[in-house]
Amino acid sequence: MTRKFFGTDGVRGRANSAPMTAELALRLGAAAGRYFRRTDGGNEHRVVIGKDTRLSGYMFENALTAGFTSTGMNVFLLGPVPTPAVGMLTTSMRADVGVMISASHNPAEDNGIKFFGPDGFKLSDEAEMEIERMLIEGVEPAQARNIGRAKRIDDGRFRYNERIKGTLPRGMSLQGLKVVIDCANGAAYRTAPEVLWELGAEVIPVGVTPNGLNINDKCGSTYVSTAAEAVVAHGADVGICLDGDADRVMILDETGAVADGDQLMGLMAKRWDDQGRLSGGALVATVMSNLGLERFMEEQGLKLVRTAVGDRYVVERMREGGFNLGGEQSGHIVMTDYATTGDGLLAGLQFLAGMVETGKKASELTKVFDPVPQLLKNVRYGTGQMPLDSAGVKKAIADAEAKLNGNGRLLIRKSGTEPLIRVMAESVCETTLNGVVDSVVEAVESATRSA
């Protein structure tokens, strides 16, 4: 069965346009509700639903609630909370399923729906395929006496706050650190500043005035300039930039320079290995991670295990291999000792813990390895277009690989969350790097124009 609705991170698209409509959300809630019900009777089945700050979140929250309750599921509404809070609360509340309404780093006009199983982890491809089948075929509603109830949970974020503060060593304080925290006007706009302040940091908040339309708008992990300016202006020690649902992070040093997920993973892998905490002597990352990270791991006598793009594929490999650290260059950092999914604030706290333990400046910790020059460009394509099937694109890719000739690598893929073709290459020769990427981009653009 071909996947029609689910991508690499749930169902996502432009809000109030097909497929991301209230009708689809209702049907999706009903299908997921029927899939996760343990029996056909009673009202003991639970789902927790969180969301970020997008205006469309209200619409999808209500539609999903209607779908779930129609199949006999009791719904617990968390309101705006980070994605990792949904994973945590799904298990702590003994729910059958968790749902996060968010399009992560995408603009406010987009939204998405992603699911967590009763163990707090994102669903497998097989589970998503079965839910999609039930969505398309339809499900039988519960009898009138078995319709579920809905209840708002007002302290969900506080439960998450306490759990995440407990990930720092007992007695550790952040007192003396001045921290810029950019919450992207998203799900962590209250949580992140609260946690940092309660741990003793002096907090300069950025991106904490959501209005439903400004999530990720010139702020957050995909636009670090705003936070970088604040770091320099306030003489801060460090900046932490989250995305719209707070499951990814970028770290800024005291000069405003950015460290991506690869640098953070390298830092944490070495630190955890030195402390005897790195399970399996390996870090799990995706094919997008820089070749420099792989070489750094080899120098430390450690392994880099690569997966397909998507933090849930990273987590699946971690669970299969018994590894406890993984993530993505984009800033998803997964620490299964503490969480079931990427957690930007948790990763930020671990970085701050490293600063406290070593007494080093952020700039001394963020430069873990010298990255191999890497270039990524995106090409948007239209509905129904398949530019990668074009003969011209295939030839451009073959020519680019021949030019790299073993001295770099080329990765071409469709985004699982947006209608984009991502063209990424690495090479020690920047002239070659620019040339191969531009040649493939031009071919893809030509294919989209002629389609």
Side-chain angles (χ1 to χ4, degrees):
M1 177 178 173
T2 303
R3 296 163 71 94
K4 182 178 180 181
F5 297 106
F6 282 94
T8 57
D9 200 17
V11 180
R12 190 177 297 189
R14 183 59 56 95
N16 228 21
S17 299
M20 280 304 299
T21 62
E23 178 191 8
L24 177 83
L26 188 150
R27 292 167 50 214
L28 188 58
R34 181 57 66 187
Y35 178 82
F36 280 100
R37 283 199 57 167
R38 296 184 299 275
T39 64
D40 291 332
N43 284 347
E44 299 86 10
H45 313 287
R46 295 182 170 187
V47 54
V48 296
I49 299 179
K51 63 179 181 178
D52 63 23
T53 56
R54 295 165 206 270
L55 183 62
S56 59
Y58 295 100
M59 177 179 71
F60 290 119
E61 182 182 56
N62 287 318
L64 282 165
T65 298
F68 277 112
T69 54
S70 76
T71 58
M73 300 284 282
N74 289 327
V75 177
F76 295 91
L77 300 168
L78 304 175
V81 294
T83 285
V86 173
M88 184 205 87
L89 291 166
T90 298
T91 56
S92 69
M93 295 181 69
R94 278 53 172 184
D96 300 278
V97 57
V99 182
M100 181 64 181
I101 304 168
S102 175
S104 190
H105 60 282
N106 286 27
E109 293 79 11
D110 293 344
N111 216 329
I113 299 169
K114 45 192 170 185
F115 294 95
F116 295 83
D119 57 2
F121 289 94
K122 291 182 180 178
L123 302 186
S124 65
D125 286 338
E126 293 74 20
E128 288 185 344
M129 291 285 280
E130 181 61 15
I131 291 172
E132 185 164 304
R133 183 191 66 77
M134 297 171 76
L135 182 153
I136 294 170
E137 295 179 0
V139 298
E140 184 178 351
Q143 295 183 3
R145 70 178 66 184
N146 293 329
I147 292 172
R149 303 174 186 270
K151 177 181 176 65
R152 190 161 294 280
I153 304 298
D154 294 323
D155 65 345
R157 87 171 193 274
F158 299 114
R159 300 186 198 186
Y160 170 74
N161 287 4
E162 291 306 305
R163 175 73 70 87
I164 199 167
K165 286 189 296 182
T167 63
L168 288 190
R170 185 178 297 275
M172 177 177 283
S173 170
L174 301 182
Q175 191 169 358
L177 285 179
K178 185 183 289 188
V179 182
V180 169
I181 178 69
D182 185 345
C183 301
N185 291 316
Y189 78 99
R190 290 181 295 184
T191 293
E194 288 170 348
V195 167
L196 292 170
W197 181 80
E198 289 172 13
L199 289 170
E202 180 181 347
V203 182
I204 297 103
V206 174
V208 291
T209 56
N211 60 16
L213 300 174
N214 61 357
I215 188 171
N216 300 313
D217 185 14
K218 293 183 173 58
C219 57
S221 64
T222 55
Y223 190 95
V224 300
S225 298
T226 301
E229 291 173 3
V231 167
V232 174
H234 291 272
D237 299 295
V238 63
I240 300 174
C241 299
L242 307 175
D243 69 336
D245 66 337
D247 66 350
R248 66 166 69 181
V249 67
M250 292 286 167
I251 297 292
L252 305 176
D253 69 18
E254 69 277 6
T255 71
V258 63
D260 64 13
D262 282 349
Q263 295 286 354
L264 297 180
M265 288 189 290
L267 171 68
M268 293 177 64
K270 184 179 188 309
R271 179 168 164 246
W272 283 21
D273 184 56
D274 290 344
Q275 296 171 347
R277 299 170 55 198
L278 186 67
S279 299
L283 166 70
V284 181
T286 76
V287 292
M288 297 294 287
S289 280
N290 195 276
L291 185 59
L293 174 61
E294 187 169 340
R295 292 173 176 174
F296 170 77
M297 293 293 290
E298 291 173 352
E299 291 169 1
Q300 306 304 313
L302 303 172
K303 296 180 293 183
L304 180 69
V305 179
R306 292 189 184 267
T307 74
V309 174
D311 64 311
R312 69 191 182 98
Y313 298 118
V314 170
V315 174
E316 286 177 4
R317 186 66 185 89
M318 291 171 67
R319 298 177 75 187
E320 290 171 1
F323 308 119
N324 63 346
L325 180 63
E328 295 189 282
Q329 184 186 64
S330 60
H332 287 116
I333 310 295
V334 184
M335 293 160 277
T336 51
D337 290 347
Y338 304 117
T340 57
T341 188
D343 191 325
L345 180 55
L346 172 58
L349 289 181
Q350 288 295 309
F351 183 83
L352 296 179
M355 292 182 67
V356 172
E357 290 172 351
T358 64
K360 293 182 178 180
K361 295 180 179 180
S363 58
E364 297 177 85
L365 295 177
T366 53
K367 298 174 183 176
V368 180
F369 63 88
D370 292 325
V372 172
Q374 186 181 78
L375 181 61
L376 170 66
K377 291 189 177 182
N378 298 319
V379 183
R380 188 168 293 274
Y381 61 90
T383 303
Q385 291 185 331
M386 294 185 289
L388 295 185
D389 291 342
S390 162
V393 172
K394 291 178 179 179
K395 182 178 185 305
I397 292 173
D399 291 346
E401 290 175 336
K403 288 179 181 177
L404 290 172
N405 193 27
N407 294 316
R409 65 190 186 105
L410 179 68
L411 179 66
I412 316 294
R413 71 179 187 89
K414 290 175 64 175
S415 168
T417 57
E418 300 176 82
L420 299 173
I421 301 297
R422 302 196 189 279
V423 181
M424 190 274 282
E426 290 176 332
S427 175
V428 293
C429 175
E430 294 200 34
T431 301
T432 301
L433 177 66
N434 290 322
V436 297
V437 170
D438 288 344
S439 65
V440 176
V441 166
E442 288 172 7
V444 175
E445 289 176 338
S446 176
T448 61
R449 287 193 298 268
S450 59

